[in-house]
Structure formats: C-alpha cells, structure tokens
C-alpha cells in the first residue's frame, strides 16, 4: 500500500515537474524582434532586407540580433566558431547590438559591448565576432521575451522530413523544417497590375507604382513634375514617369541638367560677318565704319557714301568698299581729300619749245609763240604787235594788235561777262570795230555794248571755251 502510494506521488511529481518545464510564451516582443507563431517565440527582424537604403554614404548593411550594423563595403565579417559562446541574456545582447559603435582609429576595427571576440584583419578594415553576428538565443524572461527552461539549443530544430509544421500565411516550410518567407514577386503568385511593381515583404507583398507614377484608385498615373515646385531653371517638359529640362534659345543646360547657362555665340559659332557682341541669351552683330547691317542682321553691306550726299567731293565721288574717295579732272589734283586744285604745268613740266611760251589755264596749259606778230606787224612788247605807218600795207590794217590769253572755268554760271575792252581816242576821226574773229564756231560767245563810250563786253552764253 505504501509502495503504491509512493509510486503515485512520484508520478504526480514527475507530471508536475514536466508541467513546470513547459514553455511560457508571450506574443509581444521588443524592438527588432517579431513573434513567430509557428515556433512560438520571438525571432529577429532582418532590417537590411525590409528597410530601403538602411545605410547611407556607401556603407553596407549587416543584420544583427535586435538591430543592424552599417559597415564599410570593404569590411569583412569573420565568425570565430572556435570561441565558446557564452550564455548572454537577450536584453544584454540587444543592448550590445544597439551600442555597437564604428570607429576610425589607428586600429581600424569595430567594438561592440557583449561581443565574444573581435579582431582586425590587415588590409580589410573591420571584423565582427561570432557572438555579435550570430548571437545567442533569447534565454531570459525580461522584456517579454520567450522563457524556456529547456537547456537545449532552441535554434537547432531536428531535421525530420516526415515532420510537418504549420506555417503562417506568406510562409512555407523549408528543407530544414523551419518557416521561411515566400517571395511572391519571384514566384509570380502576386496580383499586381502590369503597370505596378511587386515588392516582397515578410509574409506578404506590396504593389507599388514605378518611379514617376502615383497610385490613383487602382491605377498608376504619371506624376507631372512640371506642375510641382520648379525643378528646371527655364522650361520643364513632362514625360511618362519622368521629366527633362530645356533652355530658351541662347542658353544651354549645365552639367546638372537643371540650370541654364548663357551660350557665347561669338566664341562657339560666330555668324557675324565683321563684329560680334555677346549678350545674355543672344548676340548682336555690328559692322566696321563704312558698312551697314544687311536685312539678315548678320552680314554687312557697303555704304555708298556718294549716293548719300552730292557735296562730299568738289568734282567726282568714287565709292570703295567701306569708304569713298574724291577724284579731280585731268589737270587738277586733290587737296585736303575733297577739293580740286589746278596743276600749273608751266611751273612743273610742259612740252613747250624755246620759241614758245607756256600759258597755264584751269585743267591744262597751252604753248603760244613768243612772237605772235605776223607780217607786216612787228613785235614791240611782250604781247603787242604794231604795223608800221611807213608801210603802205598798214594803211588798211589795224595799227596794233594785242594778244591776251585767259582761261574760262567750265562751271561758270551763264550768261556772264568774261572781259571788257574799251577803244581809245588817241587818234581823231578813228572808227573802232570789234568782232570775234575765231573760236566761236558754235556761237557760245557774243559781244554787247555796255555804254556809249564804246565799252564792249564779251559774253558767254553757254559753257565757255578757251579763246
């Protein structure tokens, strides 16, 4: 009887002992962990997988229990499996991950409180210990963690292909009999539209619009970036899913593809025929002196100064490229660029013989005999010929002939007096006769009496001739 009672108490004690070893679970986990309904415990969240751009500045993301580390891309993680893993409370482990600080000292290593071991690999940068990366399983009951009194390693689940476990929605059993996330985007089991992008999440997926689009209802519509705060310096052109900037004529896009900078057309592609001046967004052409801009505002045309005024030159204006010059008729020379002055050939060069005298007139010269007297006249002075009274022939001829030479300018106004002559009264009962004997074949000259004193004037009716 006592033996039966002892066995009964022993059985109850064993049952009670087994009850005390059952797992006590809570469905709330600390930051960095989430509840695993299959394994009935808190499991670490892989922030590097679900947080977009978790690390900035070219750093790489390394997942850690309860958090993650940002390390340089050149860093290598070496797990030292030979170091014995010490049992560390989960709260301390999470604290160690949160307090991990990357340093850039001479050693070039990473320190984290709670790591089992750490070291530096020469030339590679950073090393994390096995305890820091692998991390022990949660063991204590603080902070609502899973409390297990079973000393066995909870991460090790016996691989038993015949053992089936039930996974939550979005998870499936792996070959190691653990629940792993189903990538619906890769498997093609999502229901995202053709204009949407599938993003895999833990236990689920999300349908997002591609960059440059926004969701409106069930459709992805283009975002008109040109209606938002100005991205472009001058002009914005919207395109499906994006936009680009344009510049006004005379400007070009800078290297940032947003700002517009002025184009110096005078240096890049000078279209001006003569002078080019760059201005903001454009350019202007100018011409040298004596030229003017053509209708296309690029080329230059010569200015015909001779057509603009008839007073530029005294005689003749000659237009030249970019300027003009004045010419004078033969026998004249240009003075002060515009006026004409007679050349006195009798003082410079002439072709008169020794028995001739040179007479200069406007625009030329003539050679006259030094003795113009013809028989029976005799030269008595430089230009006077006298017919001797003793000669019977002279009785019917003028007593004397005086030779006068003069030149008449062609631009003289007509009619006008050329010269005047008056008969003398040396001899009584003398009849004075005046006539033009030669040089008036065209009738350009005529005589008129100015007074009763027998003063005659030689008038020129048209452009005069030399007489």
């Amino acid at each position: 009887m006592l033996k039966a009672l002892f066995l009964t108490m022993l059985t109850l004690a064993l049952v009670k002992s087994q009850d005390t070893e059952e797992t006590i679970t809570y469905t709330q986990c600390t930051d960095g962990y989430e509840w695993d309904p299959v394994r009935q415990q808190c499991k670490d969240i892989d922030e590097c997988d679900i947080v977009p751009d978790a690390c900035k500045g070219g750093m790489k993301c390394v997942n850690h229990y309860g958090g993650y580390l940002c390390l340089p891309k050149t860093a290598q993680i070496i797990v030292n499996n030979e170091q014995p893993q010490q049992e560390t409370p989960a709260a301390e482990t999470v604290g160690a991950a949160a307090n991990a600080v990357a340093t850039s000292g001479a050693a070039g290593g990473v320190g984290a409180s709670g790591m089992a071991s750490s070291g530096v690999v020469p030339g590679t940068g950073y090393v994390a210990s096995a305890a820091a990366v692998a991390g022990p399983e949660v063991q204590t009951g603080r902070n609502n963690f899973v409390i297990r009194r079973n000393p066995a390693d909870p991460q090790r689940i016996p691989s038993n292909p015949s053992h089936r476990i039930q996974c939550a929605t979005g998870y499936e059993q792996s070959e190691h009999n653990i629940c792993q996330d189903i990538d619906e985007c890769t498997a093609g089991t999502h229901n995202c539209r053709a204009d949407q992008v599938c993003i895999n999440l833990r236990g689920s997926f999300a349908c997002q619009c591609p960059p440059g689009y926004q969701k409106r209802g069930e459709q992805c519509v283009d975002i008109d970036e040109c209606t938002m705060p100005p991205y472009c310096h001058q002009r914005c052109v919207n395109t499906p899913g994006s936009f680009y900037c344009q510049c006004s004529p005379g400007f070009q896009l800078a290297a940032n593809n947003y700002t517009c900078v002025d184009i110096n057309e005078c240096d890049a592609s000078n279209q001006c025929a003569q002078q080019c001046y760059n201005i903001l967004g454009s350019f202007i052409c100018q011409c040298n002196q004596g030229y003017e801009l053509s209708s296309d505002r690029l080329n230059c045309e010569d200015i015909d100064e001779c057509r603009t005024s008839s007073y530029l030159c005294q005689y003749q204006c000659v237009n030249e490229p970019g300027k003009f010059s004045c010419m004078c008729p033969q026998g004249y020379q240009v003075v002060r660029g515009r006026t004409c002055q007679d050349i006195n050939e009798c003082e410079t060069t002439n072709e008169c013989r020794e028995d001739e005298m040179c007479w200069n007139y406007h625009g030329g010269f003539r050679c006259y005999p030094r003795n113009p007297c013809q028989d029976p006249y005799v030269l008595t002075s430089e230009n006077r010929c006298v017919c001797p009274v003793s000669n019977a022939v002279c009785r019917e001829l003028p007593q004397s002939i005086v030779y006068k030479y003069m030149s008449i300018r062609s631009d003289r106004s007509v009619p006008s007096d050329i010269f005047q002559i008056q008969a003398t009264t040396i001899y009584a009962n003398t009849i004075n006769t005046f006539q033009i004997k030669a040089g008036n074949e065209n009738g350009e000259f005529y005589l008129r009496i100015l007074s009763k004193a027998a003063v005659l004037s030689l008038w020129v009716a048209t452009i005069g001739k030399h007489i």
Side-chain angles (χ1 to χ4, degrees):
M1 181 65 179
L2 292 174
K3 186 177 180 180
L5 181 60
F6 176 73
L7 292 175
T8 302
M9 293 177 62
L10 182 59
T11 303
L12 291 176
L14 292 175
V15 172
K16 185 176 181 181
S17 176
Q18 292 178 357
D19 292 339
T20 59
E21 292 182 358
E22 291 181 356
T23 303
I24 303 174
T25 62
Y26 299 89
T27 59
Q28 293 183 352
C29 302
T30 58
D31 293 340
Y33 292 86
E34 64 181 356
W35 179 253
D36 189 347
V38 178
R39 301 177 61 185
Q40 293 295 304
Q41 65 180 9
C42 291
K43 65 177 181 180
D44 174 60
I45 298 175
D46 188 357
E47 292 83 0
C48 298
D49 186 27
I50 64 173
V51 178
D53 297 331
C55 296
K56 306 293 184 180
M59 306 287 280
K60 68 178 180 179
C61 181
V62 178
N63 186 54
H64 189 65
Y65 280 88
Y68 63 95
L69 298 174
C70 291
L71 301 178
K73 291 185 176 180
T74 57
Q76 294 184 358
I77 308 302
I78 299 177
V79 179
N80 188 359
N81 293 325
E82 296 179 359
Q83 295 290 339
Q85 296 187 5
Q86 301 175 358
E87 292 187 0
T88 306
E92 297 178 2
T93 304
V94 175
N99 294 329
V101 179
T103 62
S104 59
V110 174
S113 61
M115 291 184 177
S117 62
S118 62
V120 179
V121 178
T124 57
Y126 299 90
V127 177
S129 69
V133 177
E137 181 61 52
V138 176
Q139 297 292 333
T140 63
R142 288 182 292 177
N143 299 326
N144 294 329
F145 277 77
V146 176
I147 301 175
R148 286 184 178 274
R149 293 188 177 88
N150 187 356
D153 187 358
Q155 292 186 359
R156 292 184 176 274
I157 301 177
S159 178
N160 186 4
S162 62
H163 178 68
R164 301 294 297 176
I165 60 176
Q166 184 178 1
C167 298
T169 305
Y171 293 85
E172 62 183 356
Q173 182 181 357
S174 69
E175 59 182 3
H176 299 292
N177 290 338
I178 62 174
C179 293
Q180 63 180 11
D181 175 58
I182 300 174
D183 189 348
E184 295 85 355
C185 299
T186 305
T189 57
H190 61 86
N191 58 353
C192 297
R193 296 167 53 93
D195 57 351
Q196 294 177 342
V197 178
C198 178
I199 305 298
N200 185 58
L201 303 175
R202 284 185 173 271
S204 183
F205 65 94
C207 298
Q208 295 182 0
C209 293
Y213 292 84
Q214 61 183 353
K215 198 169 185 180
R216 184 175 298 172
E218 295 297 327
Q219 294 182 347
C220 291
V221 296
D222 174 56
I223 299 174
D224 189 355
E225 294 84 356
C226 298
T227 60
M228 298 180 179
Y231 293 109
C232 299
H233 188 190
Q234 290 183 351
R235 297 167 56 188
C236 177
V237 179
N238 184 58
T239 58
S242 183
F243 72 98
Y244 63 91
C245 298
Q246 285 185 345
C247 296
S248 302
F251 294 86
Q252 63 183 359
L253 278 176
N256 57 13
N257 289 328
Y258 296 98
T259 308
C260 293
V261 295
D262 175 58
I263 299 174
N264 190 343
E265 295 84 356
C266 298
D267 292 339
S269 57
N270 186 5
Q271 304 181 45
C272 298
Q274 293 183 355
Q275 300 179 25
C276 179
Y277 294 92
N278 184 62
I279 60 177
L280 190 63
S282 185
F283 67 99
I284 57 175
C285 298
Q286 289 188 358
C287 299
N288 300 328
Q289 184 176 1
Y291 294 87
E292 61 183 355
L293 279 176
S294 60
S295 58
D296 60 6
R297 314 303 297 175
L298 298 175
N299 296 305
C300 293
E301 297 177 349
D302 175 58
I303 299 175
D304 189 353
E305 295 87 354
C306 299
R307 299 182 60 183
T308 59
S309 175
S310 59
Y311 300 99
L312 294 176
C313 300
Q314 182 180 359
Y315 177 69
Q316 182 180 0
C317 178
V318 178
N319 183 59
E320 298 178 7
K323 60 180 181 178
F324 71 97
S325 61
C326 295
M327 290 184 62
C328 295
Q330 186 177 3
Y332 290 82
Q333 60 185 355
V334 179
V335 179
R336 293 185 295 275
R338 298 192 178 189
T339 59
C340 294
Q341 184 181 45
D342 174 56
I343 299 174
N344 191 346
E345 293 86 357
C346 296
E347 295 179 355
T348 57
T349 57
N350 59 80
E351 299 177 356
C352 296
R353 301 189 304 268
E354 292 184 0
D355 59 343
E356 295 177 335
M357 66 175 183
C358 179
W359 179 261
N360 183 67
Y361 66 89
H362 294 293
F365 71 98
R366 284 188 179 180
C367 297
Y368 295 103
R370 292 185 181 275
N371 183 8
C373 302
Q374 297 179 5
D375 189 61
Y377 288 88
V378 179
L379 181 66
T380 58
S381 63
E382 183 180 357
N383 57 356
R384 180 180 291 271
C385 296
V386 177
C387 191
V389 180
S390 59
N391 192 340
V393 181
C394 293
R395 295 177 183 178
E396 301 296 330
L397 297 174
Q399 182 184 5
S400 66
I401 299 175
V402 178
Y403 290 88
K404 294 290 185 180
Y405 304 101
M406 63 179 297
S407 62
I408 303 174
R409 295 179 59 180
S410 61
D411 58 350
R412 186 166 183 166
S413 61
V414 292
S416 64
D417 290 333
I418 299 176
F419 64 90
Q420 295 180 1
I421 58 176
Q422 184 177 3
T424 63
T425 57
I426 299 176
Y427 304 101
N429 300 321
T430 301
I431 299 174
N432 297 314
T433 303
F434 298 91
Q435 63 178 352
I436 300 174
K437 294 190 65 176
N440 194 27
E441 290 78 6
N442 296 327
E444 289 132 344
F445 304 96
Y446 64 94
L447 300 174
R448 68 189 182 98
I449 300 176
L450 297 179
S451 64
K452 293 181 180 180
V455 177
L456 296 180
S457 176
L458 179 63
W459 271 52
V460 58
T462 59
I463 298 179
K465 288 186 176 181
H466 303 285
I467 60 176

